[in-house]
């Protein structure tokens, strides 16, 4: 038997298993996504004191089990509970959304420290500052980049034409092609979403930004919404399913 792996991790979700156990899915700093069984977690609150709640940042010790895809969770020590995320429905909803998209795009057992850091920073941002449309769009774009799905937003995905100089052309975003298409290349991609120049500009700028705090980002909410809706189509195309928590976010106005 290998010695247990110890790594920082964020609890993505957990659900009861049998009489007394829990299955827990983590995004870890060193091993990508890890799903494991926490024995006795439902019954004994002592062993895993509040450490298996979603959003918890923990020090996780786990061990792979022969003939099983589920790791054995030895211990979970709380580093940060993100209690501030649970004070409002809006924060809970947005933090849950971050978990759901990250969970969907992160690779099982693929080390990706930057992705782990991105989710951690995202949770800290929501806890400290609440949320906003630029933040969500930035989070999604960087998540796509870090998980290997960065959409092409500068040039037509097929012919390489740049959108910026051509004021009249109509552009579309094609989830299937993983980026934007010029008017002639999108002739046979009717499912591609039309995208205004303004929305393209906003997405391209946010994709270039290193941090949501790095620049003074002020974009029109209607333009951001347009860009984000194309991004969401793309994310759902990659996941091959609807995002459960996404429609609920629409109920918050970002005033
Ligand atoms: Zn083209």
């Amino acid at each position: 038997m290998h010695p247990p792996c110890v790594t920082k991790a964020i609890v993505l979700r957990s659900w009861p298993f049998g009489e007394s156990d829990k299955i827990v899915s983590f995004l870890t700093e060193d091993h990508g996504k890890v799903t494991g069984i926490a024995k006795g977690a439902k019954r004994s609150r002592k062993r895993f004191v509040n450490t298996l709640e979603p959003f918890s940042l923990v020090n996780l010790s786990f061990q792979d089990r022969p003939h099983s895809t589920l790791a054995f969770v030895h211990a979970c020590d709380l580093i940060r509970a993100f209690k501030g995320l649970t004070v409002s429905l809006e924060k809970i909803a947005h933090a849950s959304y971050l978990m759901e998209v990250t969970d969907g795009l992160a690779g099982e057992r693929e080390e990706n420290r930057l992705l782990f850091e991105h989710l951690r920073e995202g949770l800290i941002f929501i806890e400290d500052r609440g949320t906003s449309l630029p933040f969500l769009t930035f989070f999604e774009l960087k998540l796509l980049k870090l998980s290997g799905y960065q959409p092409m937003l500068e040039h037509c995905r097929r012919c390489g034409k740049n959108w910026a100089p051509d004021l009249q052309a109509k552009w579309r975003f094609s989830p299937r092609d993983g980026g934007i298409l010029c008017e002639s290349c999108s002739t046979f991609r009717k499912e591609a979403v039309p995208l205004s120049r303004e929305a393209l500009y906003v997405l391209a700028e946010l994709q270039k930004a290193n941090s949501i705090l790095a620049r003074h980002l002020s974009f029109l909410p209607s333009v951001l919404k347009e860009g984000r809706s194309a991004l969401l189509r793309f994310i759902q195309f990659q996941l091959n399913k609807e995002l459960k928590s996404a429609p609920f976010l629409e109920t918050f106005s970002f005033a």
Side-chain angles (χ1 to χ4, degrees), residues 27-142:
L27 183 70
T28 71
E29 187 174 34
D30 300 327
H31 305 272
K33 212 159 73 175
V34 170
T35 304
I37 183 158
K39 291 274 186 193
K42 241 179 89 189
R43 196 173 284 163
S44 151
R45 301 216 166 240
K46 277 188 200 137
R47 228 177 118 213
F48 298 104
V49 190
N50 299 328
T51 55
L52 301 177
E53 304 302 318
F55 320 138
S56 294
L57 174 65
V58 296
N59 242 331
L60 165 70
S61 161
F62 73 94
Q63 196 155 29
D64 284 318
R65 304 186 305 164
H67 317 299
S68 175
T69 50
L70 283 179
F72 182 84
V73 178
H74 277 288
C76 241
D77 299 314
L78 193 65
I79 300 171
R80 181 167 177 166
F82 287 109
K83 284 243 181 293
L85 287 176
T86 58
V87 297
S88 78
L89 189 56
E90 186 168 1
K91 286 188 176 181
I92 296 173
H94 285 85
S96 303
Y97 171 72
L98 261 47
M99 304 303 241
E100 190 186 356
V101 272
T102 308
D103 189 12
L105 293 172
E108 201 83 38
R109 300 302 178 105
E110 286 170 21
E111 181 188 334
N112 194 334
R113 286 185 165 231
L114 294 176
L115 190 66
F116 171 82
E117 205 43 46
H118 183 52
L119 178 60
R120 198 179 69 92
E121 282 174 3
L123 294 177
I124 291 173
F125 187 94
I126 296 180
E127 186 175 49
D128 290 351
R129 296 160 188 264
T131 182
S132 66
L133 272 178
F135 164 73
L136 282 179
T137 317
F138 171 79
F139 184 89
E140 289 157 349
L141 281 164
K142 193 165 172 189

Side-chain angles (χ1 to χ4, degrees), residues 155-162 171 180-186:
H155 310 277
C156 172
R157 195 79 175 89
R158 291 206 171 165
C159 72
K161 188 168 138 189
N162 189 299
W171 289 77
I180 54 169
L181 296 177
C182 70
E183 200 166 359
S184 51
C185 290
S186 62

